[in-house]
Amino acid sequence: MALLEEISKYLQQGRAKNVKELVQKALDEGIEPTDILNEGLLDGMGIIGEKFKNNEVYVPEVLIAARAMYAGMEIIRPILTETGVKSIGKVVIGTVKGDLHDIGKNLVKMMMEGRGLEVIDLGIDVSPERFIEAAKEHDAQIIACSALLTTTMTEMKNVVEVAREAGIRDQVTIMVGGAPVTDSFCKSIGADIYTADAASAAEEAARACKSA
Ligand code: B1M
């Protein structure tokens, strides 16, 4: 669809204002928010990611594209998070220590809110101790950790360890995700649930809260 391709293209160019306008236009034309997200915004970010890997673009361009991504996400956020249901559970979410990537984490948060979960967002660079402290403070059923770097995903193991040391391991479900994370990694560190994308993360979190 031409409009979604245009969104992807403007996002790659970091033109936040155009992205915002086109996302609104796509919504007005009745295009599904999830299609706008996947085929427009995420498509553009994926292309930027490839170029970043191949040294065709650098950190500043990636940051400008990320800003355009946020501009688009802000328009669809109210629709994706719209829910008439009372909170079905509490989730503490964050990007692990040493890691500053937050686009995927924010998407997971958005999808979870859309499923009727209350989400306490700890932001980026979150230490294991902070995750546990917040889970205790808010009496959360779920701790959700995001990591985008192979060097920071190992922090997830520390979250599991600190939860055990704090005596709350049996009371919380620990969810992990992010590009380098896999199901076998999840199992190897003793976490509970791995999901590959934001929508599945929200679905699994809702399921875990309902069966708790
Ligand atoms: Co960075 N970066 N980055 N970066 N960056 C990657 C991750 C990288 C793969 C790029 C590359 O080389 N191809 C690479 C990591 C290599 C590796 O470890 N294997 C990399 C690197 C190396 C770095 C720096 C070290 C670069 C440098 O400084 N030399 C540096 C590290 C900074 C730090 O964190 N300490 C760095 C910095 C940055 C920016 C600041 C410029 C920017 C982040 C801006 C921001 O987030 N606000 C940035 C970006 C944007 C990227 C890429 C291009 C895009 C990431 C993204 O947002 N994708 C990325 C390349 C790529 O991924 N192709 C790259 C879109 C987002 C929706 O996807 O976050 O994967 P993602 O989320 C997905 C799933 O993973 C999942 O749901 C989402 C989809 O539905 N998911 C979960 C995520 N969390 C989940 C949690 C769950 C479940 C699912 O349950 C709890």
Side-chain angles (χ1 to χ4, degrees):
M1 196 173 294
L3 193 49
L4 298 183
E5 273 169 32
E6 246 182 301
I7 292 173
S8 166
K9 198 185 77 197
Y10 280 130
L11 186 142
Q12 293 166 50
Q13 295 168 352
R15 291 163 69 172
K17 188 167 172 279
N18 297 86
V19 169
K20 206 170 159 179
E21 283 165 7
L22 286 179
V23 168
Q24 187 58 59
K25 188 168 177 222
L27 280 179
D28 294 343
E29 287 187 11
I31 301 176
E32 284 296 322
T34 46
D35 290 340
I36 300 173
L37 182 64
N38 292 323
E39 292 163 41
L41 300 172
L42 289 183
D43 181 83
M45 208 61 214
I47 294 170
I48 280 290
E50 270 307 300
K51 290 187 173 168
F52 189 37
K53 188 168 85 184
N54 301 327
N55 291 323
E56 291 167 42
V57 298
Y58 298 95
V59 171
E61 286 100 321
V62 178
L63 275 178
I64 296 168
R67 200 182 58 190
M69 169 99 193
Y70 277 129
M73 271 162 69
E74 273 315 305
I75 306 290
I76 51 175
R77 179 192 297 272
I79 302 159
L80 289 179
T81 58
E82 198 170 78
T83 167
V85 231
K86 215 170 115 248
S87 167
I88 57 167
K90 278 190 200 169
V91 182
V92 162
I93 197 168
T95 303
V96 298
K97 189 172 164 188
D99 201 322
L100 309 178
H101 296 85
D102 65 356
I103 300 176
K105 183 265 296 170
N106 290 341
L107 259 181
V108 173
K109 175 187 175 190
M110 219 188 258
M111 296 287 184
M112 284 181 170
E113 286 175 343
R115 282 258 169 186
L117 291 150
E118 186 183 335
V119 185
I120 296 107
D121 186 358
L122 305 178
I124 53 174
D125 192 18
V126 181
S127 70
E129 291 75 16
R130 179 76 194 103
F131 273 110
I132 305 313
E133 215 174 83
K136 281 162 74 178
E137 182 189 339
H138 297 279
D139 203 13
Q141 290 96 325
I142 294 177
I143 295 177
C145 307
S146 177
L148 263 285
L149 300 171
T150 45
T151 48
T152 58
M153 61 193 263
T154 47
E155 280 297 333
M156 292 170 165
K157 187 169 191 285
N158 298 334
V159 175
V160 176
E161 286 299 319
V162 176
R164 195 169 289 136
E165 283 163 19
I168 63 160
R169 184 65 191 94
D170 297 343
Q171 294 140 47
V172 285
T173 298
I174 300 182
M175 294 183 66
V176 293
V181 182
T182 59
D183 193 38
S184 62
F185 175 76
C186 169
K187 292 195 175 90
S188 75
I189 62 166
D192 300 304
I193 302 174
Y194 159 77
T195 53
D197 59 78
S200 321
E203 198 177 311
E204 288 300 323
R207 201 198 314 270
C209 284
K210 280 177 190 158
S211 63

